[in-house]
Amino acid sequence: MGVISTILGAFGFGVGLTVGLVVGYYLFILSQPNDVKDPEIRPLTELDSKSLQQLLPEIPLWVKNPDYDRIDWLNKFIEYMWPFLDKAICKMAKKIAEPIIAEQIPKYKIDSVDFESLTLGSLPPTFQGMKVYSTEEKELIMELGLKWAANPNILVAAKAFGLKATVQVIDLQVFANPRITLKPLVPSFPCFANIHVSLMEKPHVDFGVKVLGVDVMSIPGLYRFVQELIKDQVANMYLWPKRLEVQIMDPTKAMKKPVGILNVKVLRAMKLKKKDLLGASDPYVKLKLADDKLPSKKTTVKHKNLNPEWNEEFTFVVKDPESQVLNLSVYDWEQVGSHDKMGLNIIPLKDLTPEEPKVLTLDLLKNLNPNDAQNEKSRGQIVIEAEYKPFKDNEVPTNVEDSNAVQKAPEGTPNGGGLLVIIFHEAQDLEGKNHTNPSARLLFRGEERKTKTVKKSRDPRWEEEFQFTLDEPPTNDKIHVEVISTSKRMGLLHPKETLGYVDIYLSDVVNNKRINERYHLIDSKNGRIQIEMQWRTAS
């Protein structure tokens, strides 16, 4: 009897299970919506870039962004070089990681952490495209799209409390957009002194971790936690503007390094000529050391004075005393319009005896052409005290001015804001249909600024600076720059003419703090303009 009941029970379970599956299937079918719409079919040309990227996530950068170049040659080069690059990268990674590990293990009472094996595998990374930035600095900036699915063999052994645990990293995937900067460029092979690597956004890093043969990434919740932790740590270390710096050579050995200091004291000027129609001139002196990228230095303005006294001191860093000269120019300050040049002269540093102050009385000249008859006309004199102090052996000060450094914003700058500085350096190959007397016009947030006008020049040099104090970074703003030629001749049919323009977005200036580039002018055949922009903050 017991056998029969057992058979009937098993039979009933089988029938019930079958009926339940059939009923459940039909209920699932009946519960689905019947108003399913036909898919909308659209040509790819009508999709925006974001929708296209979601539809085709693996599309290369050089297809999506026309400013990225295709670099199959680089991927082929890396493929051949990968066995050697693998060893070099692993060696550098160990060199970077070992000090960090040594600093952290005492906090967790770990005896040691060692690399038992470190290789990145046989699969090299591939680059989806490269964008190159052209600047006026001695540097080369490249941004690349990196995709890497690697088969590494990384074994890390940790010892603590007499026990040993081995961790293995497998199946590594990295998607990143690194910025690689080679700077400074030097005239010695390989022609750059340092490599700077930064990440423009948080990278995507995916990998597996095995401990005692078990993949710990399969633990619920751990995978996402480790992913975010790694992204944050990498971002804190290398997200722009932070960077990894690898020194290739000592730049001071490949480039001319500072060899001394020039101390200059502008004492006074005598018998200057009156430039203003009403009253005397308002003179000031501009000083600049040849082959120096730093802006010119200026004295204060002495109003209505043809025999001014300044007694103001300036310091310059000297790199080549045999060829460098100090340029001195006296200007008449004007409240409106360009400042009139009253005269100039130079001091060759090779004429100065080291460690001996020398007082020089110089005649102001029209120009530096010794055969120009205009230089025979008296324009007054300027008195300068100069002293060249060469550095002693292996003595180079650490506080030497850096031409790439960005000054801090002055006191009173709004918190969270800063000072936007626009410097017009020069233009080249300008050409007007009727005349070429160029000046630069700047338009920013409804404010207009203008440089002086340079008469009859296709290659004007302005060296004029304009500043804007802002409550917040101008990340979404742009400036409009226009080069205009004007003529004051009576009866001229074309008193004003546009020589070209350019619109410059300021997001890169905020991110980089300083940009010095040469821009091609729109509506100009060959015209270019060099503009330096700085974003100065109080911190």
Side-chain angles (χ1 to χ4, degrees), residues 2-20:
V3 175
I4 295 175
S5 61
T6 300
I7 294 174
L8 291 176
F11 177 77
F13 173 77
V15 173
L17 179 61
T18 303
V19 173

Side-chain angles (χ1 to χ4, degrees), residues 22 46 51-52 99 124 140 146 153 170 177 193 209 227 242 262 399 423 453 472 508 512:
V22 172
E46 295 183 3
S51 301
L52 187 62
L140 176 63
L146 170 67
N153 182 22
I170 58 174
N177 293 316
V209 176
Q227 276 270 11
K242 298 179 182 178
L262 176 65
N399 59 346
I423 304 173
T453 299
E472 58 184 12
D508 283 346
N512 299 339

Side-chain angles (χ1 to χ4, degrees), residues 358-520:
K358 188 175 183 179
V359 177
L360 302 168
T361 301
L362 306 173
D363 293 326
L364 294 176
L365 307 174
K366 174 70 174 180
N367 53 55
L368 298 178
N369 183 2
N371 299 320
D372 194 336
Q374 296 186 65
N375 287 327
E376 297 178 1
K377 182 180 178 180
S378 175
R379 290 178 170 79
Q381 296 177 316
I382 185 170
V383 183
I384 302 292
E385 180 180 337
E387 180 183 8
Y388 170 58
K389 293 184 177 181
F391 296 139
K392 297 179 181 178
D393 294 339
N394 299 323
E395 179 191 15
V396 178
T398 58
N399 59 346
V400 171
E401 292 179 85
D402 181 7
S403 61
N404 291 323
V406 176
Q407 303 175 19
K408 291 185 177 180
E411 294 183 4
T413 303
N415 293 331
L419 189 69
L420 176 64
V421 180
I422 311 292
I423 304 173
F424 289 94
H425 287 296
E426 62 182 1
Q428 291 180 338
D429 296 330
L430 302 178
E431 187 173 0
K433 295 181 180 179
N434 303 286
H435 46 77
T436 305
N437 305 312
S439 63
R441 171 177 172 263
L442 167 65
L443 189 64
F444 173 67
R445 291 187 177 179
E447 292 189 47
E448 184 182 68
R449 307 286 177 86
K450 293 182 179 180
T451 68
K452 62 187 178 184
T453 299
V454 180
K455 296 180 180 179
K456 297 181 180 180
S457 176
R458 294 186 59 188
D459 304 306
R461 189 173 185 86
W462 296 290
E463 298 296 344
E464 293 194 38
E465 175 182 308
F466 303 102
Q467 299 182 354
F468 301 89
T469 302
L470 307 178
D471 294 330
E472 58 184 12
T475 307
N476 300 318
D477 289 287
K478 67 178 180 179
I479 61 173
H480 177 79
V481 176
E482 187 176 5
V483 181
I484 300 174
S485 175
T486 56
S487 179
K488 298 180 180 179
R489 293 176 56 187
M490 298 296 294
L492 192 66
L493 295 177
H494 307 280
K496 184 178 291 187
E497 183 178 342
T498 298
L499 305 182
Y501 72 94
V502 63
D503 291 323
I504 305 172
Y505 288 88
L506 300 177
S507 56
D508 283 346
V509 182
V510 176
N511 293 331
N512 299 339
K513 302 301 182 185
R514 178 177 182 267
I515 287 180
N516 187 6
E517 293 191 13
R518 197 178 299 272
Y519 300 90
H520 288 273

Side-chain angles (χ1 to χ4, degrees), residues 36 39 43 85 142 190 273 316 322 335 379 419 481 502 531 535:
V36 178
L85 291 171
M142 301 170 287
K273 299 305 176 182
F316 299 87
E322 291 299 317
Q335 187 172 4
R379 290 178 170 79
L419 189 69
V481 176
V502 63
I531 302 175
W535 174 244

Side-chain angles (χ1 to χ4, degrees), residues 110 112-114 156-160 163-167:
I110 299 175
S112 65
V113 176
D114 300 309
V156 181
K159 295 180 181 179
L163 301 175
K164 177 182 176 181
T166 302
V167 179

